[in-house]
Each structure stands twice: as structure tokens, then as C-alpha cells.
């Protein structure tokens, strides 16, 4: 009997060779595999990527909001400048109108503006009709020539006219001053002598009534309104060609 060991089976598969560099040649996992990867490291990476993308979207939304805000602020600033310029121009014209009627124009503190101080109320009587306007504090310097009274003064009592009525009264006063029968180019205004006389008489009657209701006899305003009424009656009795209806300023 031979004492030699049993020879190996030639049909047995050899042990595979595993070199230390084998890990460098492993196939990269597919995206599907990565998506189903349950490793905490892969989850943290996805969360970091998603957080970064969300941060980029928020930064872009913030920039868009800031651009929109700056755009509308420029529009608001432009509107405010144009509004203030329009109010200043309005105040300039009212100051001129007040200067034309010094005896029947007063200014007082406005008590109907809540939350803001410095507002004024301008009261003016022209053609026997009261008109009033609010004056912004920034425009108060234009009305230094107007008599300042307290809100309880009889001359500073609102007669209830609306904005539409106020400007209708103003247009009526303009028409009254333009009743001279001719325009600046020499053409006829189309107003007959009878119509002109009737309008002037009606205006004179209204002036007398307003003088009695608003001012005490002997005051300057009362005397001026009566004088204007007398002048209107005189103009009503004269033909248009003999004079103009440009009533002197009260």
C-alpha cells in the first residue's frame, strides 16, 4: 500500500484570485440602485442636495420680490411727487383767488382731519356764494395774506355745500364776470340784454341776502358785499356796450 497522500481532484474549480486592487474595478451602481439605496450616507446626500436646490429657489424668489418692490416703490415715489406738485399748484391758485377777495376770505384750523396736524380750511365768498378748500400744512406759507380766525368764527362756518356745488358756484361766478356781451376776440357771447340783466339782478339779490346772513352790519365784509350788489344792479340797468360786468374784487 502506498503511503502517499490522495492527489487532488483535477475537476475541482480553483479558488478565485482576489487582489487588493479588485475594488477599483467594481462596476458603478446604476441610478435606480442609488435611488433605492438605504445607506444613511446616501440619504444624507440626497437631503443635502434637495436643501441646496430649495435654497437656490428661495434666493431667486427673494431677488424677484426685491426687484418688484423696488419697481413699485419707484412708481409710488413718482406718483407722490406728481401729487404734491399738483397740490402746490392748486394752492398757488387758491392763494391768488383769496387775494382777489380779501374782505370775504378767512382761514382757520381744520378740525375734520384726524391723525394729522397743521391742516387749514380756507373759506371764501365770491358772487355771494361760499366756497371752501382744505390747505395742506406744506402750503400754509402761501396764505399769510389771509385773515386767520378760530373755527368758531361765523365766517368759518360751512354752509353744507358739496364739492360739486362748490365748483358749480365757481363756474357760475365765472359766467357772471363774463356777462359783458362780447368775447376777447370781439365776437358776441350770445347773451341777450334781458338775460344779462336778469342774471345780474338775481346775483345782486343773493349778495344782499348773504351779507345779512353772514356778517353783521358795519363790518367790512358786509359793506363790501352791499357795494358789490349795488354795482351789479347798476350794471343790470346799463346796456352791455356802456360798460363791463367785471365786478371789482371783494
Amino acid at each position: 500500500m502506498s503511503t502517499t497522500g490522495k492527489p487532488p481532484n483535477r475537476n475541482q474549480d480553483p479558488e478565485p484570485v482576489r487582489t487588493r486592487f479588485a475594488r477599483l474595478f467594481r462596476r458603478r451602481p446604476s441610478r435606480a440602485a442609488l435611488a433605492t439605496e438605504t445607506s444613511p450616507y446616501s440619504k444624507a446626500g440626497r437631503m443635502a442636495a434637495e436643501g441646496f436646490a430649495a435654497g437656490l429657489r428661495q434666493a431667486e424668489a427673494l431677488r424677484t420680490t426685491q426687484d418688484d418692490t423696488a419697481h413699485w416703490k419707484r412708481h409710488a415715489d413718482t406718483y407722490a411727487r406728481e401729487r404734491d406738485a399738483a397740490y402746490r399748484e392748486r394752492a398757488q391758485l387758491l392763494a391768488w383767488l383769496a387775494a382777489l377777495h380779501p374782505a370775504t376770505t378767512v382761514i382757520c384750523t381744520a378740525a375734520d382731519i384726524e391723525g394729522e396736524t397743521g391742516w387749514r380750511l380756507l373759506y371764501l365768498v365770491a358772487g355771494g356764494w361760499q366756497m371752501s378748500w382744505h390747505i395742506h400744512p406744506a402750503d400754509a406759507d402761501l396764505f399769510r395774506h389771509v385773515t386767520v380766525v378760530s373755527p368758531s368764527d361765523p365766517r368759518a362756518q360751512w354752509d353744507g355745500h358739496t364739492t360739486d356745488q362748490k365748483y358749480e358756484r365757481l363756474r357760475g361766478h365765472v359766467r357772471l364776470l363774463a356777462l359783458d356781451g362780447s368775447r376777447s376776440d370781439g365776437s358776441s357771447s350770445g347773451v341777450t340784454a334781458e338775460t344779462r340783466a336778469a342774471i345780474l339782478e338775481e346775483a345782486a339779490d343773493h349778495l344782499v341776502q348773504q351779507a345779512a346772513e353772514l356778517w353783521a352790519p358795519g363790518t367790512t365784509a358786509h359793506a363790501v358785499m352791499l357795494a358789490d350788489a349795488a354795482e351789479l344792479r347798476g350794471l343790470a340797468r346799463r346796456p352791455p356796450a356802456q360798460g363791463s360786468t367785471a365786478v371789482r374784487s371783494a
Side-chain angles (χ1 to χ4, degrees):
M1 178 181 289
S2 173
T3 58
T4 308
K6 185 179 179 180
N9 186 357
R10 296 298 182 183
N11 294 326
Q12 183 179 354
D13 293 333
E15 184 71 19
V17 177
R18 298 181 182 277
T19 67
R20 61 179 178 177
F21 301 106
R23 66 181 182 274
L24 300 177
F25 299 98
R26 287 185 301 178
R27 186 171 58 182
R28 297 180 63 184
S30 65
R31 292 187 177 182
L34 288 174
T36 59
E37 180 64 49
T38 59
S39 169
Y41 298 103
S42 61
K43 288 182 179 180
R46 286 198 303 274
M47 292 176 64
E50 291 172 358
F52 181 72
L56 289 179
R57 290 193 296 271
Q58 290 177 354
E60 181 63 25
L62 178 61
R63 282 195 296 270
T64 301
T65 301
Q66 290 173 337
D67 291 343
D68 290 343
T69 301
H71 171 76
W72 289 112
K73 186 178 184 302
R74 287 193 297 271
H75 276 278
D77 291 343
T78 300
Y79 168 78
R81 287 193 297 270
E82 293 177 351
R83 178 204 61 197
D84 292 344
Y87 267 107
R88 186 67 177 181
E89 183 175 351
R90 165 184 174 272
Q92 300 266 14
L93 294 172
L94 289 176
W96 174 56
L97 188 61
L100 295 176
H101 301 80
T104 59
T105 301
V106 295
I107 194 168
C108 67
T109 302
D112 58 342
I113 303 295
E114 298 182 359
E116 296 185 51
T117 60
W119 281 84
R120 302 286 186 269
L121 262 173
L122 179 73
Y123 287 96
L124 181 149
V125 176
W129 295 105
Q130 184 194 69
M131 292 168 271
S132 62
W133 291 268
H134 283 90
I135 305 300
H136 192 276
D139 300 322
D141 61 304
L142 299 175
F143 297 88
R144 293 172 181 160
H145 59 289
V146 179
T147 302
V148 179
V149 299
S150 70
S152 60
D153 191 284
R155 293 168 292 178
Q157 301 307 303
W158 178 51
D159 69 356
H161 62 266
T162 64
T163 299
D164 290 341
Q165 289 173 335
K166 172 176 63 180
Y167 288 110
E168 178 57 35
R169 291 174 179 183
L170 188 59
R171 289 190 294 271
H173 189 56
V174 170
R175 289 193 295 268
L176 175 64
L177 298 178
L179 285 177
D180 60 354
S182 62
R183 299 189 178 96
S184 59
D185 60 359
S187 61
S188 173
S189 64
V191 178
T192 65
E194 292 77 11
T195 301
R196 171 180 174 274
I199 293 175
L200 290 174
E201 288 287 353
E202 182 180 355
D205 292 340
H206 184 70
L207 275 174
V208 172
Q209 180 182 353
Q210 289 291 299
E213 292 178 357
L214 297 176
W215 285 277
T219 60
T220 301
H222 186 270
V224 168
M225 292 185 74
L226 291 182
D228 283 346
E231 186 173 352
L232 286 175
R233 296 191 194 283
L235 290 171
R237 295 184 179 92
R238 284 182 293 176
Q242 296 182 13
S244 171
T245 58
V247 182
R248 59 186 173 80
S249 299

